[in-house]
Amino acid sequence: MSAPDPQPVRISSVPVQLQALEPLLHQVHAAVGDVPALLRIAKDIGQTAPMPGEGNTAKLWELLASVTAVDVAAGRVFEPHLDALAILSQSGVETDTAGAWGVFAAEGPGMKLEAKRTANGSFVLSGSKPWCSLAQQLDSAVVTAHLPDNGGRAAFAVNLKNPGVTAETPSWTSRGLQEIPSGTVHFDNVPANPVGGEDWYFKRPGFAWGGMGVTACWLGGAVAVARDFAAALTKAAANGREPDQIALAALGDIDRTISGIIGYLAQTAERIDAGELDAEADPDDATRDNPSPWSDALRVRGTVAAAVERVQTLVTQNLGPGPLAFDEAYGKRMADLSLYIRQHHAMRDDAQLGALTLKGDRSW
């Protein structure tokens, strides 16, 4: 049922521009399930991939969407590596960016990672960090840690091959993203290079841009699911079973939904590149005169997440249990995407957006 040839996902480019992605997508297709190979490809593409906010944000998002349309787990490999490179670039800190990078910024109950200044003024990290995807296979990561003096947090570049780093092997029971286990990493006096100052990581506009960049991956997964559905209807018609009105209505709904979020992402990418979303992202200072780009990130994330779930629901309702049970590529895509989309926190994120809206951070 799944389309055999990788196809790019268009956000704003003309078709001839998208053709440049095709060799990369064939590489990704050949490496599905092979995380070391995917990391090698990500490292190569990271040398030339656009950075958000530098005039080609939509092309970056097309790259992420197109890779994820080939394989959702591949998108989950590419996105944090490219995000880490963008963070390091935004900080202006001179850091060796060779190797495969991740971004570890999650917090968990009962866990705390602290940054302590040594006698010579450098920093070391001690403690634990949850949800560290692929930590055992990465070379380095941008890691957030608590500062002991005032409780703030800062970002640091860390060598994950340091002997003070211990990455747990998680009991990953999920069918989704089986190649991308996310476990706890323990740090024991691990040297760390500061990336920006206190709270810079969270207040920089790039934090919001990165949060929106993830949605390009979600979009790519939804496009792949929609392509699966269209391919199934085409195959059925070729075998003499034309789609009924319910199936056609579902396909029309899917087309409207995907077209809508593609247009929304294209418009948002233009606004980022035009400098309209480059204010400091401070949720505690959201007024009409100083809107936080994080409110736009919450709008984009919520809108895309709802659209992806809508596409998944329509496709599964129409195709039924058969492909989930017997089509490996389709079943993997559905499971991977269902887990990936849960990076959006649903009503909790809407509540955060509502608080910003109530403060006046809105356009209506």
Side-chain angles (χ1 to χ4, degrees), residues 279-296 298-299 352-362:
E280 187 177 83
D282 187 353
D284 296 323
D285 185 23
T287 67
R288 289 182 184 275
D289 295 329
N290 184 30
S292 164
W294 186 241
S295 60
D296 278 283
L298 290 170
R299 293 182 193 107
Q352 187 180 5
L353 177 58
L356 291 168
T357 301
L358 196 60
K359 290 180 178 180
D361 194 356
R362 58 182 187 265

Side-chain angles (χ1 to χ4, degrees), residues 62-106:
E62 283 175 337
L63 187 158
L64 291 172
S66 298
V67 167
T68 313
V70 175
D71 178 59
V72 175
R76 187 67 184 83
V77 170
F78 273 59
E79 187 276 326
H81 175 71
L82 297 181
D83 189 34
L85 297 184
I87 294 165
L88 295 170
S89 176
Q90 291 159 12
S91 73
V93 175
E94 291 293 331
T95 303
D96 182 3
T97 56
W101 285 75
V103 179
F104 303 156

